[in-house]
Amino acid sequence: LRKPDEAIADFSRGIALNPQNASLFAGRGWALQQKQAFAESMADLDHALALDPHNVSSLTNRALALVKAERY
């Protein structure tokens, strides 16, 4: 991801318009992960999983955030 700040801003605008869209939270969580903002990333991924508990991408990205944050 070359422009994570722009992606985060775009996902945030999308979330403001559609706060029940798990994919938007998952996308912002992944973009936050690229900036090494692991706590914020995990919060967004947790929210995405609350909205869609079977989303494999969110589960995988949350696991990666935990590993990168050395919380295992």
Side-chain angles (χ1 to χ4, degrees):
L1 185 64
R2 291 186 180 155
K3 298 180 181 181
D5 291 321
E6 289 180 24
I8 292 165
D10 289 343
F11 283 120
S12 294
R13 282 190 288 277
I15 289 167
L17 295 171
N18 188 358
Q20 298 303 311
N21 187 318
S23 295
L24 294 171
F25 281 98
R28 187 173 70 179
W30 183 79
L32 285 162
Q33 199 174 125
Q34 304 311 301
K35 292 183 53 100
Q36 298 184 7
F38 302 120
E40 296 89 343
S41 172
M42 285 185 275
D44 271 1
L45 293 165
D46 284 343
H47 195 86
L49 288 166
L51 294 171
D52 181 5
H54 303 291
N55 186 307
V56 175
S57 178
S58 294
L59 287 167
T60 302
N61 285 331
R62 189 175 189 292
L64 288 171
L66 286 168
V67 169
K68 290 179 181 178
E70 298 180 354
R71 289 184 49 197
Y72 40 85

